[in-house]
Amino acid sequence: KKKGMSKGAKIGLGIGIGCFSFILIIIALIALGNKYTSKLPVITLTSPENNITIQKMEIEVKGKVEPVNSEVTVNGEEVKVNKNDGSFSTKLEQLSVGETKIVVVATSGSRQSVVTRVITRKLSAAEEQQIKEYERMSAEQKAKTEQEKSSQNQPCDNGKIGCETCALYLNNSSTIHLATNKENYDRLTNLLLAHDNEGVNEMLLQGKLFTTETGVKVRIIDVKWGGATEVRLIEGYDKGKSGWINSEFLK
């Protein structure tokens, strides 16, 4: 018959298991105690003062926290804490005009402390000057635009050399042909009357014609009998270029 564990050995084994379990319980209780008995953090905020008015677009937020191993955030952004003295510092930039709320949160274990500051930013003298300059330039641009619109609404005196209120228009087309000289203009006129599109394309390939966008403003520089008008483009891609066109296309 086999002999089992002696009574003394069983007692010793039971005591060993019991001690080990007790140690585990103690460790767990210590950890749990540290979690729920951590010290409430104390925040000492040295900058900024509450309810101050500034003109700069940035401000420094600095102070100290105890205990020094606390975690600190400023407006939700984590800030590095000096583990020797608990000091911390950060900058808030691009502040908007008006009120800004600064929220500093310190966390130690499961406990938190919160300190808030409210600051007000107003425009600096330089910013006020920039705004006035912008408003002045905007007013000048608006007046210029209105003047241009008024000029465009005036009838084009297509018989007057030097007129700059004219623009080239051709119904149902985004481009318009101009002849490079009076002779080519006469040739173009005949081709158009004959509905000879192939001839027009040939003149384009030969460089005797060029195209520009409908609506481009021009200056009248010469007028001939029968409506032949030489114009110079004063805007657009071909600005400065001159060509011949019939006055009926000047509006």
Side-chain angles (χ1 to χ4, degrees), residues 11 22-23 26 30-31 41 68 72 83 89-90 97 117 138 148 150 166 169 174 179 202 208 214 226 233 240 242:
I11 293 173
F22 179 74
I23 292 171
I26 293 298
I30 291 173
V68 297
V72 173
K83 299 304 180 183
S89 176
T90 189
V97 174
R117 292 284 188 271
S138 297
E148 289 177 350
S150 177
C166 301
Y169 282 101
S174 60
E202 183 179 4
K208 296 179 179 181
T214 295
L233 279 63
S242 65

Side-chain angles (χ1 to χ4, degrees), residues 57-151:
M57 296 181 67
E58 63 178 34
I59 193 167
E60 185 178 25
V61 180
K62 62 180 180 178
K64 288 188 175 182
V65 64
E66 294 181 355
V68 297
N69 63 345
S70 301
E71 297 178 353
V72 173
T73 62
V74 176
N75 285 4
E77 297 293 329
E78 187 175 354
V79 178
K80 185 177 180 180
V81 178
N82 188 317
K83 299 304 180 183
N84 294 321
D85 59 4
S87 61
F88 61 87
S89 176
T90 189
K91 279 187 178 181
L92 297 181
E93 300 177 332
Q94 301 299 320
L95 297 174
S96 302
V97 174
E99 286 190 355
T100 296
K101 187 175 182 180
I102 302 173
V103 182
V104 181
V105 179
T107 305
S108 177
S110 62
R111 310 192 71 181
Q112 281 188 341
S113 294
V114 180
V115 173
T116 61
R117 292 284 188 271
V118 176
I119 62 171
T120 301
R121 178 178 176 266
K122 68 176 186 179
L123 293 173
S124 64
E127 288 175 317
E128 289 180 347
Q129 184 61 34
Q130 288 177 351
I131 291 176
K132 289 180 181 178
E133 183 66 14
Y134 174 77
E135 291 175 345
R136 182 189 66 80
M137 293 176 65
S138 297
E140 289 180 354
Q141 183 61 41
K142 183 178 180 180
K144 183 178 179 181
T145 301
E146 292 298 326
Q147 185 178 5
E148 289 177 350
K149 287 181 178 179
S150 177
S151 297

